[in-house]
Amino acid sequence: MTTCWYSAELDNPQNKVFAPAFRAENKYDPGFYAAATYTEGAVLEAALKTINAKIEDKTAFMAALRATHVDTVRGPVRFDEFGNVVGNVYIRKVTRKEGRLVNAVIKTYPDVSQFWTYDQKAFLANPVYSRDWPPARNIVN
């Protein structure tokens, strides 16, 4: 059992094209690195279409990028007010399919942000994660 934001077994239109094409060319299933690159391309393409490919206007491009909501091989992707990705997270189980081991999706957590189930305001009220926070009270020097 594993958790990840991608599986080659995802049942969405984009992945139904991407995963078989990747498998045919490379002779193995795409992993999250391949999916990440493809996802990044889809996000950039969506933002560029919004501004009619006028990337010279950096302000407009960044606004379009932050406002992008696009369906990708990993599922829906958007950005929160801090510029962090909000997307699905999948619980996967290794199973056999067509003679190979695959990461079958057994549960989907939709729209997971950096805060997930935590209250955003309460979370941000804590100090920034560092060597000193949270305190490690049981470490002996």
Side-chain angles (χ1 to χ4, degrees):
M1 303 273 286
T2 59
T3 183
C4 191
W5 50 262
Y6 179 72
S7 168
E9 296 300 300
L10 284 175
D11 186 16
N12 67 51
Q14 296 78 11
N15 199 53
K16 284 184 175 183
V17 173
F18 171 70
F22 185 97
R23 193 176 299 117
E25 185 170 326
N26 297 290
K27 309 301 183 234
Y28 60 90
D29 286 349
F32 64 86
Y33 290 115
T37 303
Y38 205 78
T39 297
E40 291 155 4
V43 170
L44 289 171
E45 179 183 43
L48 286 168
K49 283 181 179 178
T50 301
I51 60 167
N52 297 316
K54 294 187 168 124
I55 197 164
E56 300 81 17
D57 185 346
K58 293 177 185 176
T59 303
F61 176 64
M62 288 307 298
L65 194 57
R66 286 182 177 259
T68 297
H69 294 134
V70 64
D71 290 324
T72 71
V73 297
R74 67 168 276 185
V77 169
R78 64 184 174 84
F79 298 93
D80 68 12
E81 65 203 81
F82 303 101
N84 290 305
V85 173
V86 177
N88 296 348
V89 173
Y90 306 100
I91 306 300
R92 312 171 313 170
K93 182 178 182 179
V94 176
T95 60
R96 285 206 180 270
K97 180 180 179 184
E98 300 169 359
R100 66 190 200 286
L101 295 173
V102 299
N103 287 304
V105 175
I106 60 171
K107 182 163 179 64
T108 300
Y109 290 95
D111 290 328
V112 176
S113 75
Q114 62 178 324
F115 304 108
W116 195 33
T117 59
Y118 296 97
D119 176 79
Q120 176 179 323
K121 191 172 182 177
F123 185 90
L124 291 173
N126 286 307
V128 175
Y129 182 84
S130 70
R131 179 180 180 93
D132 301 317
W133 179 262
R137 294 183 183 100
N138 298 315
I139 294 178
V140 177
N141 289 335

